Amino acid sequence: MRPLLGIELGPGRAVLVLVHDARPTGELLHAAAHHVVKYEDPVSLAVDLRRLRVEHRLPRRARVVIWPERGDAGVTPVDSASAAAGFKPDVWQLRERLRPIVRAGFRVSAALAPSEAAAALGVLASAAPVAALVVAPEGGALAVTSGGRTLLTREIAWKFAPPGSGAPLVDRYVFAAQVLPLVTHALGSVRERFGVAVERVVLCGSAPALRTLAAPLIEELDLEVETLDGIDGVSGLDADPDVAATVQLAAGAALAPEDAGVIEGLERPVLTPARILAGTAAAAAVILLVLLFWPARLASALPSRTSATSGGSKPRRVAPPPPNTHSAFLGEPCAKKSVSA
């Protein structure tokens, strides 16, 4: 089976994961390679992604997780009691965000919200009801799944960002305190609407030291909380727990169902300099062909001044007009002959 490539695209960071899904053949699911790219502008990102694609011979087809940007609709503030509508960015804005990936030579087959990739990880973690919570500096995502079905998804905007790796334990408890009301409300909504009781929460994301966030969540939610850093997530990563938890979301994009994706019309090609150049060359070729062949066709369509006889004899010459025809036509009197007396 061909490896699957998932990309997580956030502001200032891109994560690439190559996943081998051999479960249909009875073998294991594991990540063959992963790369984390930090960038400052879209141009440098395109250059770095192209270099990785060529050096490591990565597949061109990729599925991309798009993090919401400030001002995007469909994002629920972490301290809001009501959930926002689903994250559905404008297709043309999305094309602009995906442009560095396309310029690097990748073909984006699907663009997913973080919650959709989290739902794929939840299904992978357990067939029982489970809540997958993504914690990243740029935002969060929540997905509740049960029996392979997605029951609830949320894109979350933090009131304040997750603490760094060297932050004291009290900061982690403070951050967990802002997450608890939203998670509690979501689990209660699933229980009321679907009659499903969630007893397990899994964590992943690029926030450092996620394992230290599990303790306050366990105390407040009274649920089993685990981090997807090699346990139940995509395994095969020879890296520390932080890196393993960071790459899970990109792997979830690669493993998401084929019909997943928040964007319609993404199959239409993104306009790039290469496509512009190709279109210009095609137009120039058409114009050149017209200039070369149109005069010949025009000349062949003009009537000939001579006509051949049916017997194949030489063409006959058209007789000249009679004398004084021109003067008569112009209305000039013809010269009279003198008559002798």
Side-chain angles (χ1 to χ4, degrees), residues 46-266:
V47 173
D48 292 339
L49 291 180
R50 180 178 291 276
R51 177 181 53 81
L52 284 175
R53 182 183 63 80
V54 174
E55 289 183 359
H56 299 277
R57 298 182 178 180
L58 298 177
R60 288 183 176 269
R61 185 176 183 270
R63 313 186 78 195
V64 183
V65 177
I66 296 290
W67 276 100
E69 293 185 356
R70 185 179 299 275
D72 284 347
V75 181
T76 302
V78 69
D79 55 354
S80 175
S82 59
F87 173 51
K88 203 79 171 179
D90 180 77
V91 64
W92 296 109
Q93 294 178 355
L94 180 71
R95 287 172 181 271
E96 187 64 28
R97 298 177 193 179
L98 293 174
R99 196 175 298 274
I101 297 178
V102 176
R103 286 181 173 175
F106 294 104
R107 183 170 61 87
V108 180
S109 59
L112 292 84
S115 59
E116 289 186 303
L121 293 174
V123 172
L124 179 65
S126 175
V130 61
L133 178 62
V134 183
V135 183
E138 51 265 56
L142 176 67
V144 180
T145 61
S146 177
R149 261 194 327 157
T150 301
L151 306 180
L152 178 144
T153 57
R154 295 280 187 276
E155 318 306 326
I156 308 171
W158 305 131
K159 191 173 183 179
F160 49 90
S165 57
L169 188 59
V170 65
D171 290 347
R172 303 191 178 279
Y173 273 83
V174 171
F175 177 79
Q178 73 166 335
V179 182
L180 287 171
L182 185 143
V183 175
T184 303
H185 181 270
L187 298 185
S189 176
V190 169
R191 186 185 302 109
E192 293 177 3
R193 183 177 179 182
F194 300 99
V196 173
V198 177
E199 299 182 354
R200 187 184 179 198
V201 178
V202 293
L203 300 175
C204 69
S206 57
L210 273 182
R211 290 184 180 183
T212 60
L213 287 176
L217 292 176
I218 292 173
E219 294 176 8
E220 297 295 334
L221 294 174
D222 194 22
L223 297 175
E224 179 185 357
V225 181
E226 297 178 355
T227 56
L228 296 179
D229 51 10
I231 302 174
D232 290 334
V234 179
S235 61
L237 298 168
D238 298 328
D240 58 49
D242 282 351
V243 176
T246 297
V247 303
Q248 296 293 328
L249 197 62
L255 298 170
E258 289 295 331
D259 58 348
V262 297
I263 303 303
E264 298 177 358
L266 192 63

